[in-house]
Amino acid sequence: MAGEGQIYALLVGVNRYDSPEVPPLRYAVEDVFALREFMQQRLGLKKKRCLLFTYPPRAEASPASRSNVLGGFGDLSRLRMGEQDTFIFYFAGHGFELEEETHLLTYDSKPSPAGVLSETAISLARLKALLRGIRAGQQLIILEACRNAPRPLSRATGSLRWSEAMSRDILELVRDPSAAASPTARRARAILSSCWEGQLSYEYPQEKRGWFCHNLLEFLREQPQGVVQFTQHLAEDLGKRMNQNALIHYRAALDQRPHLETDGGPVHLRLREPAEFPSDESAFITQDRRRRRRRRAWILLLTAGLALGAGFGWNYADPAGWAGLVARLEDAWAKLTGGDPVPPPNELPGEDPKRPPPPSAIAAIVPPPTNPFPQPGRAWTNSLGMVFLPLPGTGLLLAQWETRAMDFDVYRAALNLSANRLSYAQGTNHPVAGVSWTDAQGFCRWLTDTEVQTNLMTGTQAYRLPTKLEWCLALDPPAQPPSTRIFPWGDDWPPPRNAGNLADLDLWRATGLRYIPDLRDGYAYTAPVGSFPANPLGFFDLIGNLREWVDGPAGAGQHQTVGGAWDSCTREELRLNNPVELPDESRRENLGFRCVLDLGPVRGAAAR
C-alpha cells in the first residue's frame, strides 16, 4: 500500500531576501523546523532523507538559494525511491506572479526585470519538471506562499491576494499527463495550499508560526494512529478548524481557507505513535514542553525578583518600585530566552486586553520609553533603525551590526554626496562597502548633529568609531589584554561553520579568488546584516562580511582596520593581533564600519 514505505522530504523556508524589492517574513523558517519535527515524530522521517533549506541559514540547513534547492531536487532524483515511498515538498516564503507565470522566490531571487526573475526564482513550471524526476509513488506538495507581488508586509497582510493565475498554475502543476505514461511515474500527487484565489495567508505571532502551518500540525497531531488520506474532506475539516480557532482566539473570522488538489488518487500518510520507531534526535522538545519551561522560568524569575527586592527594601506599594522590578525581570527574561521579549499586553482601543491581537496585527505594540534618551546598559534603536547594545565593561553602546547601505544612503542624500561605485551589487540591507575612514567619521558627526537637533540625544552624547580595544570587547569572550587568543573565535583553524561571511567556494566561482577549503556560506560578496548567527553578546558580523575601521594610534594619515571580510581566506588576515593600517581615504570594496554611541563624559576603562 502506498504510504507504507519511506518518507523523503525537501523543506524550504525563507524569512529574508537579498533583493530590497522583497520584504522579509518572520516565521517561514520556524515553520520548516516545526514541520520536520512532526514528520520525525509521527511519520518516521529519518534525518538522512530530509533536506532543509532556510534563510537565514540555521543549523542542519543549507542556504535557501535557487541553485541549492535545484541541487536538492537533483540529489533526491538519484535515490532509488519506490512506489511505496512518499516525497513531501514544503515551501514557506514569497510567491510572485509576473507576466502570467508564478514563481517561488528563494533568498537570491531578483523580482525584476522579468528575464532576471526567470533565472533567479523557481517557476511552478520548473517545479513540475523537477517533480517528474522524483520516483516516489506519492508526492505531497505543501505551499504557503500566497502573494502575487511582494510588499513591505508579512505573508498575511496587504491588498494583494492569491491571484487567478496562481490558481491556474497550481492546477497545471498537480495534473501531469506526461507522467502518467511513464512506468516509473508517481501514482498519486496532492497539492495543499495555505489559501486560495482571492484570499490571504496570515502569520501567527503568538506561536511564531504561520497560521496555516500551526493549525495543520495541530490538526494532524490530534489524529489517531493509522492512515490519514489527503482528500477534500480533510481540507474542509482543516478549514473549519482554522475558522473556529479564529473565532475562539480573535472573535472574528479570518478569510483564509486551505485548498487541496489531487491527481491519481489521494495521498496516504501513516501516522505512527512517537514510541513506534527510534528517533534520529536525542530528544524532542515539543511546543507544550517549551511553553511549560518558559512558564516555570518566568515564575522562578518573579519569585527571585520579589525576594531580592524585599532584601533591598523596595516598596512595592510605590509604582517606581514595581517599574524597577519589571525592568530587571524583563532583562533577565531576554537573556534566558535568547532575546525574546516578554509579550506586552494588548492595548489596542476597543480590543479585549485578555486576548492576543489577530494574526494580521503583525507589528508589536510597544509602550513608549519612560526616558527618550539612550541609557547606559540598555539597548537603544536610533532614528535610522540602527540597534545599539551595551558594550561589556564600559558605559558605551555598540552597533549590533555594521552600518547598512540604507543608513549611509540617508547621509549621502542629506549632504548631496555621490555614491561609490562597486564591482558587485549590494542590497540596501547589506553593510555599506567602499567607505573611507573620513567617510565614516563624517557619517558619525552628521548622525550626532541630526539626533541632538531633533532631541533624540543629549548634547553630551555622540556617535563615533570604536577603538580597537572596544571592538575586541564585543567578542565573546572579550579579547582584551592580556588575551592570547589567536582568532576572534578561538585558536583553531579553519573557522567554524557559520562563523561569518568569509572567502568561500561561491567567491571562487564568481571571481577566481582564493578561498577557504570546504567553506560555503552562500555569498560571493557581502551578505545582508544579521545573516549569520549573533555571538552570545548579540553582535553580528564581527568576523566576516567587511573589515571595519577603528579609531586609535596609527601612522600619519592612516588608521587601523580589524575583523574579516568576504574575501578573507588566510590565517594572517583573521588574526586578532594583526590589524591592517590603511590610508584614511582608502575606499576598498571590503571595508565598512560600525558605530559606537558614547553616552557622556563618564566612561568605562576601555573607552579611556
Side-chain angles (χ1 to χ4, degrees):
M1 177 181 177
E4 293 290 339
Q6 301 294 338
I7 302 292
Y8 298 80
L10 192 155
L11 313 179
V12 181
V14 187
N15 280 350
R16 298 178 185 172
Y17 291 82
D18 235 1
S19 171
E21 300 177 64
V22 187
L25 299 174
R26 298 206 296 174
Y27 307 127
V29 173
E30 285 71 19
D31 287 345
V32 162
F33 281 90
L35 182 62
R36 185 189 69 162
E37 180 179 330
F38 170 82
M39 291 195 294
Q40 288 176 319
Q41 289 179 308
R42 299 298 305 275
L43 299 180
L45 174 69
K46 303 297 182 183
K47 186 187 297 185
K48 63 182 179 181
R49 298 191 180 100
C50 179
L51 299 181
L52 298 181
F53 300 94
T54 66
Y55 196 79
R58 294 264 291 267
E60 304 179 71
S62 302
S65 64
R66 181 178 187 267
S67 61
N68 283 349
V69 174
L70 296 181
F73 272 100
D75 293 340
L76 290 171
S77 68
R78 290 187 285 272
L79 299 180
R80 294 183 177 180
M81 300 184 196
E83 65 179 23
Q84 303 298 320
D85 298 329
T86 301
F87 170 70
I88 299 175
F89 171 69
Y90 174 78
F91 180 88
H94 278 302
F96 194 94
E97 178 203 328
L98 187 64
E99 298 180 353
E100 296 296 308
E101 187 173 20
T102 303
H103 298 78
L104 304 180
L105 299 188
T106 53
Y107 86 86
D108 54 347
S109 298
K110 304 293 188 294
S112 61
V116 175
L117 175 65
S118 63
E119 295 298 321
T120 59
I122 300 175
S123 68
L124 292 192
R126 180 66 184 275
L127 178 60
K128 186 175 184 178
L130 294 170
L131 291 171
R132 288 176 190 163
I134 303 297
R135 294 190 284 267
Q138 298 189 128
Q139 294 179 358
L140 175 62
I141 297 94
I142 304 175
L143 299 180
E144 197 167 3
C146 68
R147 300 183 57 80
N148 59 348
R151 283 288 203 278
L153 300 166
S154 73
R155 281 176 288 174
T157 57
S159 60
L160 297 174
R161 301 168 184 266
W162 189 287
S163 70
E164 181 180 353
M166 295 179 77
S167 303
R168 180 205 62 216
D169 288 347
I170 290 289
L171 293 174
E172 291 179 357
L173 176 62
V174 73
R175 294 161 188 162
D176 192 359
S178 64
S182 172
T184 60
R186 66 1 183 217
R187 300 190 174 206
R189 177 182 290 172
I191 300 181
L192 180 63
S193 54
S194 61
C195 62
W196 200 236
E197 188 175 333
Q199 295 182 343
L200 300 171
S201 186
Y202 294 89
E203 291 199 319
Y204 187 28
Q206 286 70 41
E207 291 294 338
K208 296 186 177 179
R209 296 280 183 274
W211 181 244
F212 165 77
C213 182
H214 168 75
N215 281 277
L216 173 64
L217 294 182
E218 292 296 316
F219 176 83
L220 292 176
R221 287 190 184 104
E222 292 175 2
Q223 302 306 308
Q225 174 183 345
V227 175
V228 171
Q229 299 186 46
F230 278 73
T231 62
Q232 292 298 335
H233 182 68
L234 180 144
E236 290 171 4
D237 287 348
L238 176 59
K240 291 177 183 177
R241 178 193 179 91
M242 293 170 64
N243 192 47
Q244 289 170 356
N245 283 344
L247 292 172
I248 292 171
H249 291 290
Y250 307 116
R251 295 180 179 175
L254 298 180
D255 187 21
Q256 179 180 356
R257 185 181 68 257
H259 187 87
L260 182 73
E261 290 288 340
T262 61
D263 186 36
V267 168
H268 300 76
L269 294 181
R270 181 175 179 268
L271 295 180
R272 304 163 167 88
E273 291 298 331
E276 275 193 59
F277 53 88
S279 171
D280 284 327
E281 310 289 354
S282 59
F284 286 110
I285 302 177
T286 63
Q287 264 191 305
D288 287 339
R289 288 172 62 189
R290 291 192 188 103
R291 279 194 289 266
R292 287 195 296 270
R293 287 183 180 182
R294 287 197 293 264
R295 192 179 300 115
R296 286 197 297 266
W298 180 246
I299 292 172
L300 287 173
L301 277 173
L302 180 61
T303 304
L306 289 170
L308 182 63
F312 281 100
W314 289 356
N315 180 13
Y316 293 126
D318 181 4
W322 277 108
L325 172 63
V326 170
R328 288 168 173 81
L329 290 178
E330 286 181 345
D331 288 344
W333 175 262
K335 292 178 181 178
L336 184 68
T337 59
D340 269 352
V342 179
N346 180 15
E347 297 178 356
L348 280 175
E351 294 285 344
D352 183 353
K354 296 181 180 180
R355 295 184 179 273
S360 58
I362 297 300
I365 305 163
V366 181
T370 55
N371 191 325
F373 301 120
Q375 300 290 310
R378 299 185 69 86
W380 166 259
T381 302
N382 71 4
S383 60
L384 296 179
M386 299 168 64
V387 179
F388 289 80
L389 301 179
L391 188 62
T394 74
L396 307 172
L397 302 180
L398 179 67
Q400 189 175 24
W401 48 67
E402 294 161 328
T403 303
R404 301 165 297 185
M406 66 175 72
D407 307 323
F408 206 76
D409 286 346
V410 179
Y411 162 64
R412 284 190 176 123
L415 300 185
N416 198 26
L417 302 176
S418 60
N420 293 334
R421 293 185 178 181
L422 303 175
S423 63
Y424 58 88
Q426 280 197 305
T428 57
N429 59 340
H430 287 230
V432 61
V435 293
S436 68
W437 182 86
T438 305
D439 295 333
Q441 290 284 57
F443 174 86
C444 292
R445 287 193 297 269
W446 167 81
L447 187 56
T448 298
D449 293 341
T450 300
E451 297 204 338
V452 169
Q453 291 171 7
T454 54
N455 202 33
L456 293 176
M457 300 192 330
T458 68
T460 60
Q461 297 173 337
Y463 294 100
R464 59 174 175 82
L465 293 179
T467 66
K468 179 176 180 290
L469 179 54
E470 290 165 352
W471 186 90
C472 289
L473 287 175
L475 301 170
D476 184 75
Q480 62 190 104
S483 173
T484 59
R485 197 183 335 161
I486 300 176
F487 304 110
W489 59 86
D491 296 335
D492 297 328
W493 183 268
R497 182 183 179 187
N498 281 337
N501 180 21
L502 301 171
D504 69 336
L505 185 61
D506 294 294
L507 174 67
W508 175 79
R509 287 178 173 173
T511 65
L513 295 175
R514 292 184 302 168
Y515 68 100
I516 300 172
D518 300 323
L519 180 65
R520 188 168 189 184
D521 53 38
Y523 299 97
Y525 301 102
T526 55
V529 298
S531 296
F532 295 85
N535 71 7
L537 299 177
F539 297 105
F540 292 96
D541 299 327
L542 289 166
I543 295 174
N545 231 5
L546 293 175
R547 290 188 69 87
E548 300 178 22
W549 287 106
V550 293
D551 213 347
Q558 293 187 326
H559 279 86
Q560 295 180 342
T561 62
V562 294
W566 50 264
D567 60 350
S568 299
C569 65
T570 66
R571 290 176 170 85
E572 289 70 24
E573 290 175 289
L574 293 169
R575 286 180 182 273
L576 274 174
N577 60 357
N578 189 33
V580 177
E581 292 188 6
L582 294 173
D584 291 349
E585 300 304 321
S586 178
R587 290 189 173 91
R588 295 186 181 182
E589 294 190 337
N590 64 354
L591 281 179
F593 69 100
R594 75 178 70 214
C595 299
V596 154
L597 177 51
D598 198 326
L599 298 178
V602 179
R603 307 179 190 172
R608 285 195 289 269

